[in-house]
Amino acid sequence: MSLDPDDSRPPYVQVANALRAAILTKKFSPGDKLPSGKELAKQYGVARMTVQQALRLLREENLIVSRHGSGVFVRQRTEKPVGLRPYVEQAFERDHVAIDFAGLSGETLQGAIQEPLDKIRAGRITPQTVTIRVLVPDTSTPWALPVRVDDQHDEPAYRRRIDTLFSRHVGAMADAIGELDELGLISEASVQVRTHALTPLFKLYLLNDEEMFFGFYPIYARTIETDAGAVEMYDLGGKDAVLFHQSATDDPSAPDTQHVAQAREWFDSMWNTMSRERAL
């Protein structure tokens, strides 16, 4: 099965879309092992690196999980989480795009906006403004969580690792959006980041003040590779957070509408009081 040569999307996105469809239509059932990277590369006529990029997208959507030495498997709970990516893509179809994120690193958000940005480059969607606000913990100060397993103390090497991941993903997002602004494909664009001194126990996405996605970070004991070596940590399972989705309606008394409004009020209060600007 080769890719469509007339499809303007990057090959890794096309591979990810094909595998996602196979998973959601139960061609691959929960718990099934996917073909190896070599087999998928041959099947789709792409390089191994392209397959790895496609699998990364599916991991970010909580559709698959990698098991060291065993391969890549479809998650057992694929029917439960709500997929963020389609709603982000829908948000970019508006004239004015506003996305707020509160959580640990912003890695999932950076992955979710790649396809909409590609569509803007191709002229398939034409939003006038894009405003993204990111609220994350301050990596320069000790954290209450994640912590070392042995003494439950803060680990500076872990914070440096998160800071590197954050700079990579949010920095790439800001650069990509800034490039579209410079090219005149967006009339106005901004990516703002603020940090705070609290430990994030959940992740929150607000899309155009209409859609809310909320999920708790599960806590796992795991070995983390840092610049100081391997460390046993109680870590936040960001990619394992199950997102719950609520949409605001025209009825201000509807529970979903009230939940979205309260999430907006919480985000704005944190943004305006207990946070400070961070340069990218």
Side-chain angles (χ1 to χ4, degrees):
M1 180 189 300
S2 59
L3 301 183
D4 183 357
D6 295 325
D7 194 327
S8 63
R9 292 171 297 181
Y12 77 94
V13 173
Q14 296 184 54
V15 173
N17 289 347
L19 291 174
R20 184 188 303 108
I23 292 171
L24 297 178
T25 58
K26 299 298 191 301
K27 292 180 181 178
F28 292 117
S29 299
D32 282 356
K33 182 179 179 179
L34 295 184
S36 68
K38 181 178 181 180
E39 291 170 331
L40 289 173
K42 181 178 180 181
Q43 178 180 341
Y44 292 105
V46 297
R48 289 282 295 277
M49 180 62 70
T50 300
V51 171
Q52 293 174 11
Q53 291 176 304
L55 294 178
R56 176 179 57 78
L57 293 182
L58 299 183
R59 287 191 196 94
E60 292 171 355
E61 296 174 18
N62 288 323
L63 288 174
I64 62 173
V65 60
S66 297
R67 298 174 186 165
H68 184 66
S70 298
V72 178
F73 296 81
V74 179
R75 282 189 182 274
Q76 292 287 352
R77 58 181 190 182
T78 52
E79 293 180 312
K80 295 181 181 179
V82 176
L84 174 68
R85 190 183 301 272
Y87 290 89
V88 171
E89 294 175 3
Q90 184 178 11
F92 270 85
E93 294 176 0
R94 299 289 187 88
D95 287 339
H96 303 285
V97 182
I99 299 177
D100 291 337
F101 166 77
L104 185 61
S105 69
E107 180 179 357
T108 301
L109 176 60
Q110 191 260 337
I113 71 169
Q114 291 310 300
E115 187 159 346
L117 297 186
D118 288 341
K119 289 181 178 179
I120 294 173
R121 291 188 188 93
R124 295 167 62 188
I125 55 175
T126 56
Q128 296 178 26
T129 66
V130 176
T131 302
I132 296 179
R133 297 191 298 175
V134 178
L135 192 60
V136 290
D138 185 352
T139 56
S140 68
T141 60
W143 290 357
L145 189 76
V147 292
R148 295 194 299 264
V149 169
D150 56 1
D151 56 11
Q152 296 193 23
H153 286 175
D154 172 69
E155 175 52 64
Y158 178 92
R159 285 188 282 110
R160 290 194 296 270
R161 179 178 183 272
I162 292 296
D163 188 75
T164 299
L165 287 173
F166 174 83
S167 297
R168 178 189 308 158
H169 294 292
V170 178
M173 179 170 60
D175 289 344
I177 292 174
E179 178 188 29
L180 296 176
D181 188 17
E182 292 173 1
L183 291 172
L185 297 175
I186 300 175
S187 298
E188 183 179 339
S190 88
V191 177
Q192 304 171 62
V193 179
R194 295 185 73 89
T195 63
H196 56 80
L198 301 179
T199 295
L201 298 179
F202 60 85
K203 60 169 61 177
L204 171 70
Y205 301 88
L206 291 166
L207 311 181
N208 290 338
D209 282 338
E210 296 176 354
E211 311 286 344
M212 178 185 79
F213 294 83
F214 178 93
F216 292 102
Y217 286 125
I219 301 171
Y220 300 127
R222 65 177 76 185
T223 301
I224 304 294
E225 293 294 335
T226 72
D227 56 17
V231 183
E232 287 291 323
M233 300 284 297
Y234 285 128
D235 190 21
L236 300 172
K239 294 179 180 178
D240 292 328
V242 177
L243 292 178
F244 296 91
H245 172 227
Q246 292 179 302
S247 297
T249 69
D250 293 334
D251 181 3
S253 64
D256 279 16
T257 304
Q258 294 185 38
H259 291 163
V260 174
Q262 286 298 305
R264 155 64 52 229
E265 185 175 338
W266 175 86
F267 188 97
D268 287 341
S269 67
M270 282 289 296
W271 186 268
N272 294 321
T273 61
M274 295 187 62
S275 63
R276 57 177 181 156
E277 185 177 357
R278 168 182 166 143
L280 291 173

